[in-house]
């Protein structure tokens, strides 16, 4: 238990203007052993890794760009209450778990919780803008947006990127990622406000899973009973 808690802290360490490049099997192993990210990377056999990430990470929000000519396979290495949104510029990405798979493409962004992911596989020539946010931060934004509603809505895992709201969310994420990349090591004092705005955008524009409405109350048993009773009386009286 102690080791897991320590790993959890290491996997969400705020970093201003981080950059990572994996270009060999040794660098891949070193990244997995020492990195402050919540996932481990791997590549297919006989493939030389080529993975680049650049962005910034706050206490509850991380925004970064991923580029990979080799493609990669990754798995969460900690249990974390976080959600990851990805806008894919090139290639595709597939999330696999016990329930099936979710596929992201340049036409369909993805929003997946860490607890829903067993394995992630990105194609060769992959490029994406990514954001990870904690459930706690999203729940706080949802309460503020709805006037006190608790929890986080049930989101669809994929969304059409061509709608006006999704286009605005993508541009906001990209601009914030670039701003974090260019910020000095002292950090961006506007980051908490930006996080709040992004949370509101995500909650407002991302499609929600349709709730199944409860079946309307009916009086079928009573009606059936009355019908049987009426039929019985007619039978006893005869034709």
């Amino acid at each position: 238990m102690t080791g897991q808690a320590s790993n959890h802290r290491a996997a969400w360490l705020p970093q201003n203007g981080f950059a990572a490049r994996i270009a060999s099997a040794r660098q891949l192993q070193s990244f997995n052993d020492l990195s402050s990210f919540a996932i481990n990377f791997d590549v297919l056999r006989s493939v030389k890794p080529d993975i680049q990430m650049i962005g910034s990470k706050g206490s509850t929000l991380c925004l970064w760009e991923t580029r990979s000519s080799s493609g990669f396979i990754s798995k969460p290495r900690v249990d974390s209450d976080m959600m990851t949104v990805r806008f894919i510029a090139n290639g595709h990405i597939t999330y696999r778990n016990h329930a099936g798979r979710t596929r992201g493409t340049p036409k369909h962004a993805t929003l997946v919780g860490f607890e829903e992911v067993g394995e992630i596989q990105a194609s060769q020539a992959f490029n994406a803008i990514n954001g990870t946010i904690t459930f706690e931060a999203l729940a706080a934004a949802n309460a503020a947006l709805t006037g006190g509603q608790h929890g986080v809505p049930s989101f669809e895992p994929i969304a059409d990127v061509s709608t006006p709201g999704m286009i605005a969310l993508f541009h906001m994420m990209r601009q914030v990622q670039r701003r974090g990349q260019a910020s000095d090591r002292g950090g961006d004092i506007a980051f908490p406000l930006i996080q709040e705005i992004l949370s509101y955008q995500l909650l407002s524009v991302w499609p929600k899973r349709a709730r199944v409405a409860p079946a309307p109350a009916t009086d079928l048993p009573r009606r059936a009973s009355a019908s049987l009773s009426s039929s019985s009386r007619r039978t006893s009286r005869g034709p």
Side-chain angles (χ1 to χ4, degrees), residues 11 31-32 35-41 53 64 72 74-78 86 114 120:
F31 179 92
N32 290 337
S35 105
S36 62
F37 289 85
I39 57 173
N40 282 337
F41 280 107
M53 295 182 296
W64 75 101
F72 58 82
S74 64
K75 295 182 179 180
R77 61 189 177 104
V78 292
R86 279 190 170 95
F114 259 55
I120 305 167

Side-chain angles (χ1 to χ4, degrees), residues 117-136:
V117 176
E119 181 181 273
I120 305 167
Q121 184 168 350
S123 70
Q124 294 181 338
F126 180 75
N127 177 216
I129 296 294
N130 320 266
T132 297
I133 188 168
T134 65
F135 275 93
E136 183 180 3

Side-chain angles (χ1 to χ4, degrees), residues 49 62 72 85 88 131 138 140 145 154 175 182 196 230:
C62 180
F72 58 82
V85 55
I88 296 92
L138 267 184
L145 197 63
S154 180
Q175 290 302 318
E196 191 174 352
S230 174

Side-chain angles (χ1 to χ4, degrees), residues 99-181:
R101 68 177 190 171
T102 298
R103 185 180 176 90
T105 69
K107 293 183 178 180
H108 293 94
T110 61
L111 180 62
V112 179
F114 259 55
E115 80 284 354
E116 302 172 32
V117 176
E119 181 181 273
I120 305 167
Q121 184 168 350
S123 70
Q124 294 181 338
F126 180 75
N127 177 216
I129 296 294
N130 320 266
T132 297
I133 188 168
T134 65
F135 275 93
E136 183 180 3
L138 267 184
N142 190 51
L145 197 63
T146 60
Q149 182 177 320
H150 297 290
V152 174
S154 180
F155 296 105
E156 290 286 357
I158 62 173
D160 183 349
V161 301
S162 65
T163 65
M166 292 295 293
I167 292 171
L169 176 61
F170 165 70
H171 283 296
M172 181 67 169
M173 285 180 57
R174 185 174 63 179
Q175 290 302 318
V176 175
Q177 183 268 326
R178 289 175 176 174
R179 175 173 175 151
Q181 174 184 337

Side-chain angles (χ1 to χ4, degrees), residues 45-75:
R45 291 183 180 275
S46 74
V47 174
K48 181 182 178 181
D50 178 26
I51 306 166
Q52 301 177 61
M53 295 182 296
I54 186 165
S56 59
K57 182 163 56 169
S59 59
T60 57
L61 175 69
C62 180
L63 291 167
W64 75 101
E65 181 180 10
T66 304
R67 292 180 178 271
S68 177
S69 63
S70 64
F72 58 82
I73 300 168
S74 64
K75 295 182 179 180

